[in-house]
Structure formats: C-alpha cells, structure tokens
C-alpha cells in the first residue's frame, strides 16, 4: 500500500465535506450503530461520520501510526482509532453495520481483497468514496498552470503502480466481493482559490515555486517518462509557480480544481 504524509492528505482532502454531505446520503448514517472508517489517515472522514451518525460508535483504522497520532489528537470521545492493515482488519466478523473507506482502493494493488475484508467486518453496508484522478480538471488565471497540471496528471496516472483512476469501476470490486444492491453516484468536489487567500493557498503556491509539490510524485513521473523529462517538467513547473506567487501578490490569482469522486455502496449478502 502506498504511504502519504499528513501534510499531503490535508492538501488533497481539504474542504471536501465542508460545503455539504449529500454524497454520504446512501450510507444511511442516521440509522448506524457501529461505523468503521478503513484507511482513515488523519481521521477527516472519521470525524464527519461521527458528526452525521449521531449516537453511533465510530472507529478509524490505518496502518500508518504517524497518521493515527494526528487523528487521535484531532478526534474526540466519539471516535476511536486502531492500527491495522486494510486487508487484515483488527476487528471480528460483523463487528460493524457500516464499513467505509475514502481514497483507499485507488492506492491498493488488489482493491477487491480490501472490499472483501470490509464485507467481512460489516453486517449490513459497505461503502467506498474513490476519486477518478484521470478526470480531474483545473481552471486557472495562470495559463501555464492548466497545461502543466494536465501534463503532470497524465504522466502520474501512467506511472503509478495502482489504479488511481478507479472511479466508478469500484463497483466491479464490489460485485467480485459478493456484495448486492450495488450502486454508484458521481460527485464533483470543487477546490477554489481566490482572494482573500487562505494560509493553505499561500503554502500551495510556495510549494509550486519550489517544485516541492511535483517532487511528491517524482517516482511515478520518472517511471512514466524519464529523468530528463522529469527535470524539464520540474523546471517549467517552478516557473509556473513563480507566476502563481506573483499573481497572488497582486491579488489577481484564481484557481478551481474539479475533482470527480464516486460513492459506491453495496449490501452484505
């Protein structure tokens, strides 16, 4: 399974549930008694589940103890966090009535194995919230940003060793795991950057200008292209980052990132 830093998770998942939680309607959270968030990371979705499933016991599981430490610091007495692998969960059969994951299956070499494990521990419903990274779009007042984001994204999707564009094909893993009444709905999360700029936007611009954001995916980009092509892309990326920083200083920078994600649910047969 691929590993991520708390900073990376904060950047990629920031604000996903702030504008509304309609995408969670099929999880029937108001009727839940025990909920398990698998691959919970820093616990962002775990806390949302606890808020929506009022009165339920909500647990988060992740293999990364550093991320769990952040989750515990930011959690409350409604949530409990456990260390464990997504394909060998540290809970018994039918231990919960909802097992859910967010952006987990796209990072696993065998998504179906994880779905089977989610089905083992759930007595009722299994759900997955998974993005389609091949279909992400960016609109920016800095023209080079749209072009370079697309170039980097296409290379990343080609170079990564898991299916990060899984999207609505998650239902295939649900079917293979024997789940029934499987259904998928697509939503688009919009991440907006505009004046007045939040601190997170300033950090993101600084990472563009330094090339740090691109360097997070260096291994995948080199695998899809070459060392020379990566170095060329990083040079152009840093130049674009400096344009972004200048536009922010002038109060003229705006950016919207459209991230499509699919919510797939199925019942244990």
């Amino acid at each position: 399974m691929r590993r991520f830093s708390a900073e990376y998770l904060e950047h990629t998942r920031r604000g996903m549930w702030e504008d509304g939680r309609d995408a969670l309607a099929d999880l029937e959270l108001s009727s839940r008694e025990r909920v398990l968030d698998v691959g919970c990371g820093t616990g962002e979705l775990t806390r949302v589940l606890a808020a929506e499933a009022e009165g339920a016991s909500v647990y988060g599981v992740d293999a990364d103890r550093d991320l769990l430490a952040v989750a515990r610091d930011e959690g409350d007495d409604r949530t409990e966090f456990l260390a464990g692998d997504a394909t060998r969960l540290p809970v018994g059969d039918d231990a919960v009535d909802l097992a859910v994951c967010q952006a987990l299956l796209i990072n696993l070499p065998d998504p179906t194995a994880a779905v089977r494990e989610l089905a083992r521990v759930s007595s009722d419903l299994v759900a997955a919230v998974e993005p389609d990274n091949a279909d992400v779009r960016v609109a920016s007042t800095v023209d080079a940003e749209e072009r370079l984001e697309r170039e980097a994204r296409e290379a990343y999707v080609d170079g990564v060793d898991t299916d990060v564009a899984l999207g609505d094909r998650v239902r295939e893993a649900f079917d293979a795991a024997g789940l029934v009444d499987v259904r998928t709905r697509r939503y688009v999360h919009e991440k907006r950057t505009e004046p007045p700029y939040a601190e997170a936007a300033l950090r993101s611009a600084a990472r563009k200008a330094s090339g740090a954001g691109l360097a997070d995916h260096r291994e995948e980009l080199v695998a899809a292209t070459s060392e020379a092509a990566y170095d060329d892309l990083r040079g152009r990326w840093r130049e674009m980052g400096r344009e972004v920083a200048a536009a922010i200083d002038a109060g003229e920078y705006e950016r919207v990132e459209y991230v499509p994600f699919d919510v797939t649910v199925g019942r244990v047969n």
Side-chain angles (χ1 to χ4, degrees), residues 88-190:
R88 296 184 300 276
L89 292 170
V91 296
D93 296 355
D94 302 332
V96 299
D97 52 16
L98 168 64
V100 59
C101 63
Q102 175 180 336
L104 170 71
L105 303 181
I106 60 168
N107 296 309
L108 298 177
D110 186 357
T112 300
V115 175
R116 286 196 179 100
E117 185 68 350
L118 269 65
R120 177 186 69 81
V121 303
S122 178
S123 64
D124 185 26
L125 203 67
V126 172
V129 181
E130 299 290 331
D132 181 349
N133 286 299
D135 204 24
V136 173
R137 294 185 300 109
V138 171
S140 172
T141 52
V142 174
D143 292 340
E145 184 170 22
E146 296 183 30
R147 183 177 65 256
L148 290 174
E149 286 266 10
R150 184 170 57 253
E151 180 180 343
R153 185 178 313 108
E154 290 174 354
Y156 172 73
V157 170
D158 288 343
V160 72
D161 58 3
T162 62
D163 189 353
V164 294
L166 198 56
D168 61 358
R169 287 180 292 108
V170 167
R171 65 180 304 120
E172 297 172 11
F174 275 49
D175 290 338
L179 295 167
V180 298
D181 189 23
V182 177
R183 55 202 184 277
T184 298
R185 300 180 193 272
R186 171 157 289 200
Y187 301 85
V188 178
H189 172 46
E190 296 185 9

Side-chain angles (χ1 to χ4, degrees), residues 26-86:
D26 285 343
L27 277 61
E28 303 167 5
L29 290 170
S30 63
S31 66
R32 297 296 154 196
E33 296 181 359
R34 300 178 308 282
V35 179
L36 182 67
D37 178 14
V38 180
C40 66
T42 54
E44 179 183 3
L45 179 60
T46 320
R47 294 187 291 275
V48 170
L49 295 171
E52 296 296 314
E54 190 172 349
S57 299
V58 181
Y59 307 92
V61 173
D62 202 280
D64 191 318
R65 295 179 183 274
D66 291 337
L67 297 181
L68 286 176
V70 176
R72 291 186 179 110
D73 286 344
E74 298 186 2
D76 56 29
D77 57 7
R78 296 274 326 280
T79 56
E80 182 178 343
F81 295 95
L82 311 169
D85 188 277

